[in-house]
Amino acid sequence: MEKFIKKTIGVVLVLIIIISTMAPAAFAADAPRISVVANTTGGVKVAYIKADGIDEYDIYRKDAENDWTVISRLKGKSAYGYIVDRTAKSGVNYTYALGYVKDGEDSGRLELERSIYYLTVPEFTLAMMGNKVCVEYTPVDGASGYQIIRKEVGGTYTTVGYSSDGSSFVDSSVKLNTTYVYAVRSYTGSNLSYQTEKKIYTYPAPSLANVQTGVKVSYKKYDGAAKYELYRKTDDGEWIKLREMKPSSWTYFVDTAAESGKINNYKVNVVLADGTNLVREIEGAGICYMAIPKFTLAMMGNKVCVEYTPVNGATGYQILRKEVGGSFVTVGYSKEGTTFVDSGIKLNTTYIYAVRSYSGSNLSYHTEQKIYTYPSPKVANVQTGVKVEYKKYDGAVLYELYRKTDDGEWIKLREMKPSSWSYFVDTAAESGVAYNYKVNVVFEDGTNLVNEIEGSMIRYMKSPDVTVTASDEGAVISIEAVGGAKSYQILKKSTSKPNYTTLCYAKTTEYVDSSVVDGETYTYAIMAWSADGYSSYFIPVTFETEAETE
């Protein structure tokens, strides 16, 4: 029994101590008291439990630097059971307490206190940045970081990230064409601010492509849009409005003023009927615009020469080729100069070419041009000049034959109507001179099938006039000198040896064949040779020796 009494007394004493530390003796269980202290939108919310018969409620506040002061007095019959302390400063720890007046007696400050570290709600804006959402917020005094939370309409908030440095956060995990609700909360340790909400529709960034005349900017239509504002800026420039587009079936715009070789950024504002923007991107979709090279095709001998115009900002050019109905293949790259020679072609074939400029991974669009690989004319020295043979082509109304010397210009020799003839002999060619020949095939509409920039080359060597006479030493072969000749090849055959063999290469215009025998018939043929190896047509000369008499 003694132990029980001691134990009971001990419990009572403990209870008395606890009660005495909670409130003064005058405090009753049904007395008004602070129930909630919380960070809210405009300050610190201090809520209290009301009681009957209270004339006035006093809200006390103190911080580390200031003693207790009454910051608010509320009538007892007020419908409100809370205040918002809008004078609180972010980053400060506050303690709140309650007092009241009842029946003319002031309770003074009650000892039940509530403390809180006040953090302001960050002000923030939302904007599209490409196909991401950029959350820009205003820094809050006393905050060590910021929590960014997001939800879909009707969903539950999830944390998408934290930001400790700077004043922005980029959310790259969004789905496009979706309405999201965002909130930003400042924090320090376990202290967290309240939050406000903002919505954004993740309108996709425009898609960009280099096309024939500029940059094609394609944007998504939006129901309810009154107009679309299209903007562009370069990396070193400001946003400029290109134009406004009214809602229509068109959902793209071609920027023909884009500058080649520069990164161009584009953004689209969707303007609603009330003048507000659905979204204003702070960063658009970027593309390095590369202009399409202008180019021409021409035959160069039996090769195709691609001549292109340089493009600003290009570091090289890609040359593509395909046969009609086939797929493009890259036949080469050109980094210097303005021409590319394709030697991998087949003759008598129609090819389609394209040239694309590039800089790094940035590649231009392309246009196409066709060329028929019309073979170069065949040229040969004949008795009266240079014979030029060309291939007939169905649909041709005219063949234009041109000639030039190595240091001269192309001159038209003549025009040939389609006929059974497919060659021409240039009788005006001068011996010893190198000539190039080319043929243009002209159609009824005046266009050319091909205009060769280089033709077929030959050095014309006139056929030498030759006489053969008898002498005591043998057959004397006299050759009329030929312009440009460096030597003369003398060929010989006889009745007993009917095939031509080379007798010699004479450096002079007279040679004696001492190997002839009596009673034999010999035929001589002379070919004139130039320094670069081209020989002429030859005219055979027959010589008979007298039969031996007894």
Side-chain angles (χ1 to χ4, degrees), residues 128-188:
M128 294 300 296
M129 188 171 77
N131 288 328
K132 305 171 185 178
V133 172
C134 181
V135 184
E136 290 190 336
Y137 53 86
T138 303
V140 166
D141 288 341
S144 60
Y146 303 87
Q147 178 192 26
I148 292 83
I149 56 180
R150 182 194 75 201
K151 67 179 179 180
E152 293 186 37
V153 175
T156 304
Y157 272 121
T158 58
T159 299
V160 293
Y162 294 90
S163 177
S164 297
D165 298 322
S167 57
S168 64
F169 175 84
V170 178
D171 184 4
S172 58
S173 64
V174 298
K175 298 179 293 186
L176 294 177
N177 304 310
T178 304
T179 299
Y180 287 105
V181 180
Y182 280 83
V184 181
R185 306 175 77 176
S186 59
Y187 66 85
T188 294

Side-chain angles (χ1 to χ4, degrees), residues 203-495:
Y203 184 73
S207 58
L208 309 176
N210 285 331
V211 295
Q212 185 171 351
T213 54
V215 175
K216 182 178 180 181
V217 184
S218 300
Y219 55 91
K220 180 178 172 62
K221 292 184 70 174
Y222 186 78
D223 291 342
K227 65 180 177 179
Y228 300 89
E229 297 176 336
L230 281 68
Y231 291 80
R232 179 194 68 203
K233 79 175 181 75
T234 54
D235 283 347
D236 56 352
E238 300 291 333
W239 285 109
I240 59 170
K241 185 188 289 187
L242 295 178
R243 66 178 303 173
E244 295 181 355
M245 304 283 284
K246 295 291 185 183
S248 68
S249 58
W250 297 89
T251 55
Y252 70 87
F253 167 73
V254 178
D255 180 12
T256 57
E259 190 173 343
S260 182
K262 279 196 172 183
I263 299 291
N264 295 279
N265 291 277
Y266 295 87
K267 69 178 182 178
V268 176
N269 286 344
V270 182
V271 182
L272 305 182
D274 62 1
T276 60
N277 289 350
L278 173 69
V279 61
R280 184 175 182 111
E281 292 176 330
I282 60 173
E283 180 180 295
I287 191 172
C288 180
Y289 174 55
M290 301 301 300
I292 301 173
K294 295 178 180 179
F295 69 99
T296 58
L297 304 174
M299 294 300 296
M300 189 173 76
N302 289 328
K303 305 172 185 177
V304 172
C305 181
V306 184
E307 290 191 340
Y308 54 86
T309 304
V311 166
N312 286 339
T315 58
Y317 303 86
Q318 178 189 24
I319 292 81
L320 303 102
R321 182 194 71 206
K322 68 178 179 179
E323 293 186 37
V324 176
S327 300
F328 272 121
V329 295
T330 299
V331 294
Y333 294 90
S334 178
K335 293 189 176 180
E336 296 179 354
T338 57
T339 60
F340 176 84
V341 178
D342 184 7
S343 58
I345 62 168
K346 298 178 293 187
L347 293 176
N348 302 311
T349 304
T350 299
Y351 287 107
I352 299 172
Y353 280 83
V355 180
R356 305 176 78 174
S357 63
Y358 65 85
S359 176
S361 60
N362 304 294
L363 196 63
S364 77
Y365 195 67
H366 65 272
T367 54
E368 300 179 354
Q369 289 191 41
K370 286 184 179 180
I371 189 171
Y372 177 79
T373 52
Y374 186 73
S376 295
K378 295 180 180 179
V379 291
N381 284 327
V382 295
Q383 185 173 355
T384 54
V386 176
K387 182 179 182 180
V388 183
E389 292 186 83
Y390 54 91
K391 180 178 171 62
K392 295 184 69 175
Y393 190 80
D394 291 341
V397 297
L398 192 69
Y399 297 91
E400 297 176 335
L401 281 67
Y402 290 82
R403 180 191 73 192
K404 78 176 181 76
T405 56
D406 285 345
D407 57 353
E409 301 291 332
W410 287 109
I411 59 169
K412 186 188 289 188
L413 294 178
R414 66 177 302 172
E415 296 178 350
M416 304 282 286
K417 295 289 186 182
S419 66
S420 57
W421 298 88
S422 58
Y423 70 88
F424 166 74
V425 178
D426 180 11
T427 58
E430 296 181 20
S431 184
V433 178
Y435 294 100
N436 286 278
Y437 293 88
K438 71 176 183 178
V439 176
N440 285 345
V441 183
V442 183
F443 296 101
E444 189 171 2
D445 62 1
T447 58
N448 290 350
L449 174 68
V450 64
N451 189 348
E452 290 178 330
I453 59 174
E454 181 180 293
S456 300
M457 200 270 276
I458 190 171
R459 186 178 297 279
Y460 175 55
M461 299 299 295
K462 179 183 175 183
S463 300
D465 290 329
V466 180
T467 58
V468 182
T469 58
S471 72
D472 293 340
E473 289 81 11
V476 179
I477 302 168
S478 299
I479 305 168
E480 183 182 353
V482 170
K486 300 296 182 181
S487 65
Y488 300 92
Q489 181 183 8
I490 302 173
L491 299 98
K492 170 185 172 183
K493 68 178 181 177
S494 63
T495 305

Side-chain angles (χ1 to χ4, degrees), residues 11 68 77 89 93 95 103 114 123 130 219-220 233 278 307 322 347 349 371 443 492 523 526 529 540 548:
V11 171
W68 288 101
K77 294 181 179 180
K89 295 180 180 180
N93 197 84
T95 302
D103 298 331
R114 292 289 183 93
E123 296 180 359
Y219 55 91
K220 180 178 172 62
K233 79 175 181 75
L278 173 69
E307 290 191 340
K322 68 178 179 179
L347 293 176
T349 304
I371 189 171
F443 296 101
K492 170 185 172 183
T523 302
I526 313 299
W529 283 81
E548 187 177 353

